[in-house]
Amino acid sequence: MANDPIHQFQISKWIPIEVGGLDFSFTNSSAFMVATVVAAGAFLFLTTSSRGLVPGRLQSISEMSYEFVASMLRDSAGSHGMRFFPFVFSIFMFVLMANLLGLFPYFFTVTSHIIVTFALALLVIGTVVVYGFLKHGFGFLKLFVPQGVPAVVVPLVVLIEIVSFLSRPVSLSVRLFANMLAGHITLKVFAGFVTSLSAFGVAGAAGAVLPLIMTVAITGLEFLVAFMQAYVFAVLTCMYLNDAVHPGH
Amino acid sequence: MFVASAFAASAQDAAEATHSETGVASEGAHEAGFPPFDSSTFPSQILWLAITFGLFYLFLKRVVLPRIGGILEVRRDRIAQDLDQAARMKEEADQAVAAYEQELADARKKANVIGQEARDAAKVEADAERQQIEKDLDAKLAKAEERIASIKETAMKDVGAIAEDTAASIVQELVGGRLDTTAAKAAVKAVKQ
C-alpha cells in the first residue's frame, strides 16, 4: 500500500462513535480539522497578543491576512458586505491552513474530500440564499433577471441564470477538491517513481533524479496552489455574497 | 475529474480484489472504493467540520478579529494624531519665524529712527554753530568796515589839506607868487566836487 497514491486519502477511525446507525467517529480527518482550527486560531491569537503598535513579522502576517480579506470583501461586496467579514475570513483561513497542513508528508488533507468542500460551498450558498431572502424578500429573485435584456430572451436568460446559480456550489467545491486531490496524487506518483526506480541499482538511482526534481518542483507548485485555491474560494465567496447584498446586479 | 474517476475505478477494483483474496470482511469492507466518494464517512466529516469550523468562526469573530481590528484602528489613530501634532508644531515654528521677522523689521525701523534723530541733532547743532560763526564774522566785518570808513574819512580830510598845500606850493613854484590859502581851499573844494 506504500506506493498507492490513493492511500493518503483513506479515512481511519480513531475513536468510533455511532449514533442512530450513522457513523460520527472521530477520524484522522476530524483530527486534522481540529489541527487546522487550532493552528490557525493559535497563530492569529498568539501573534497579535502583544498588540504591538509597530508590528513584528508574525503580527504583520496576521494583520496582512486581515487586511487582505477585508479589502477583497470590500472590493467585491461593498461596505454592506463587511458584515460577512468574520465568515469570509474564517473560510479563507480554514481552507488555507487545511491546504498548507496537507502538504506535510503523512498529514491528511481535509480539503481533499469532496464532502468537506461541498459542505463549505453549501454553507456559502446557504448564507447567500438565506440572507438574500431575509434582506430583500422576493426582490432577491431579481438576481435571476438581469436588467437591460430584451423581453424575448428573458425566459432563456433566467433559465441560464438559475442553472448557473445552482451549479455554483458544485463548481466551488469541486474546484478546491479536485485541485487538492490531483496535486497530492501527482506528488505521490512522482515520489513513488523515486523509490521504485532507486530499487533498480545505480542506474535506477541515477534515473530517479528526474522524478525527484519533479517532486521538489511540484511541492513548490502545490504551496502556490494551496494559497491560490484558498484565495479563489474566498474571492468567489465574496462575489456570491455580493449577490445577496445587491441582488439587482 | 477524469483522473479522479479513473483512480476511483482502479482503486475500487484493487480494494475489491484485496478483500476477495484475503477474505477480510471487517468494517473496511464498506469503505471500499475511492475514499473521497465513500459516503459512509460523510456524516462524521460533516459533523466534525461543523463543530471545528463553528468553533473557529466563533473564536475569530469574538476574539481574534476585534483584536486585530483594534490594533489597526489604534495604529491609524496614532498616525493621524502624530500627523496632527506635526502640523501643529509646524504651525508653531512658522509663527516663531514670523515673530522673529517682525522683531527684526521693528529693530531695523528703530535703528533707522535713532540714526535719523542723531543726524537731525547733529545738523541742528552744526547749523547753530555756523550761524554763530557767521554772526561773529558779520560783526567783525561790520567793525572792520566801520574802521575802514573812519580811516578813509580821516584820510580824505588829510587829502584836502595836502592838496591845498600842494596846490599852493605848485602855484608858488610856477607863478612865483604867493597863493592865498582861502583861494587854494576854494579851488581844491571845486576840484573835489
Side-chain angles (χ1 to χ4, degrees):
Chain A
M1 282 301 259
N3 250 344
D4 178 6
I6 300 301
H7 181 245
Q8 57 182 323
F9 305 115
Q10 206 72 256
I11 286 189
S12 53
K13 290 179 196 174
W14 289 9
I15 305 169
I17 303 167
E18 205 170 309
V19 178
L22 287 173
D23 181 19
F24 290 120
S25 305
F26 188 82
T27 61
N28 55 347
S29 169
S30 319
F32 275 95
M33 287 177 193
V34 173
T36 299
V37 164
V38 168
F43 180 83
L44 291 169
F45 184 75
L46 295 178
T47 55
T48 54
S49 59
S50 66
R51 296 163 190 263
L53 193 63
V54 179
R57 278 182 218 177
L58 294 176
Q59 191 183 328
S60 284
I61 295 177
S62 293
E63 290 176 7
M64 274 160 65
S65 46
Y66 180 100
E67 293 188 314
F68 178 66
V69 177
S71 67
M72 186 199 298
L73 183 58
R74 197 176 294 116
D75 287 349
S76 40
S79 51
H80 284 302
M82 288 311 282
R83 64 171 65 232
F84 294 110
F85 177 61
F87 178 60
V88 178
F89 189 72
S90 306
I91 286 206
F92 176 72
M93 288 311 287
F94 184 85
V95 173
L96 179 65
M97 190 53 84
N99 291 353
L100 289 177
L101 276 185
L103 284 171
F104 286 94
Y106 298 106
F107 277 26
F108 181 83
T109 316
V110 176
T111 44
S112 68
H113 275 248
I114 181 81
I115 186 65
V116 172
T117 61
F118 192 67
L120 285 176
L122 273 189
L123 187 60
V124 171
I125 301 298
T127 307
V128 168
V129 171
V130 169
Y131 181 79
F133 275 116
L134 278 182
K135 189 79 195 287
H136 304 284
F138 285 100
F140 179 60
L141 294 176
K142 277 191 293 188
L143 174 65
F144 300 112
V145 191
Q147 284 165 350
V149 175
V152 187
V153 288
V154 161
L156 184 65
V157 170
V158 167
L159 189 68
I160 293 173
E161 289 280 340
I162 289 175
V163 170
S164 93
F165 188 84
L166 291 180
S167 64
R168 275 175 183 182
V170 179
S171 67
L172 191 59
S173 56
V174 167
R175 182 181 302 110
L176 175 59
F177 153 72
N179 267 285
M180 288 301 114
L181 187 83
H184 282 79
I185 288 174
T186 318
L187 261 183
K188 184 75 187 238
V189 166
F190 276 103
F193 282 158
V194 178
T195 51
S196 46
L197 274 175
S198 32
F200 296 117
V202 180
V209 170
L210 208 62
L212 180 64
I213 293 172
M214 282 303 287
T215 309
V216 173
I218 290 173
T219 306
L221 180 70
E222 282 306 303
F223 271 99
L224 178 71
V225 170
F227 174 77
M228 281 306 297
Q229 288 307 316
Y231 172 65
V232 166
F233 203 98
V235 162
L236 288 173
T237 301
C238 292
M239 292 170 70
Y240 298 161
L241 287 170
N242 182 38
D243 285 344
V245 181
H246 315 285
H249 280 261
Chain B
M1 280 309 290
F2 290 120
V3 177
S5 50
F7 268 111
S10 64
Q12 199 155 9
D13 291 348
E16 275 167 8
T18 321
H19 289 139
S20 56
E21 272 171 25
T22 54
V24 176
S26 61
E27 58 189 23
H30 68 251
E31 75 179 44
F34 187 52
F37 295 151
D38 179 1
S39 59
S40 70
T41 66
F42 286 2
S44 151
Q45 296 203 65
I46 292 174
L47 174 74
W48 288 103
L49 177 68
I51 292 172
T52 53
F53 187 76
L55 290 177
F56 186 57
Y57 173 76
L58 285 180
F59 179 66
L60 289 193
K61 190 180 177 180
R62 295 272 158 78
V63 182
V64 170
L65 294 180
R67 181 190 278 186
I68 299 180
I71 292 173
L72 295 177
E73 200 164 321
V74 164
R75 185 174 308 148
R76 208 175 301 129
D77 287 356
R78 178 65 187 275
I79 289 172
Q81 199 180 319
D82 284 1
L83 282 177
D84 281 358
Q85 198 174 344
R88 210 167 47 238
M89 282 178 166
K90 186 178 180 297
E91 208 168 298
E92 276 171 19
D94 285 354
Q95 275 172 1
V97 167
Y100 163 76
E101 272 171 4
Q102 180 66 38
E103 241 161 70
L104 197 65
D106 284 355
R108 207 171 276 152
K109 214 182 281 172
K110 222 178 191 174
N112 279 341
V113 167
I114 289 171
Q116 191 63 43
E117 274 173 3
R119 222 174 298 140
D120 288 353
K123 202 177 163 201
V124 166
E125 211 172 309
D127 280 356
E129 214 165 305
R130 203 182 65 217
Q131 273 171 3
Q132 184 62 42
I133 288 168
E134 275 175 358
K135 214 188 276 170
D136 286 0
L137 285 177
D138 282 354
K140 274 180 189 164
L141 202 63
K143 223 184 251 171
E145 270 171 4
E146 210 170 295
R147 236 182 92 210
I148 288 167
S150 70
I151 288 170
K152 197 176 164 187
E153 210 174 321
T154 45
M156 277 312 220
K157 234 179 259 168
D158 291 351
V159 164
I162 291 166
E164 285 162 18
D165 286 353
T166 313
S169 305
I170 291 166
V171 166
Q172 199 168 2
E173 285 292 319
L174 291 176
V175 181
R178 254 247 186 123
L179 187 61
D180 190 7
T181 41
T182 46
K185 258 186 193 165
V188 166
K189 212 174 185 175
V191 169
K192 266 170 90 181
Q193 280 167 356

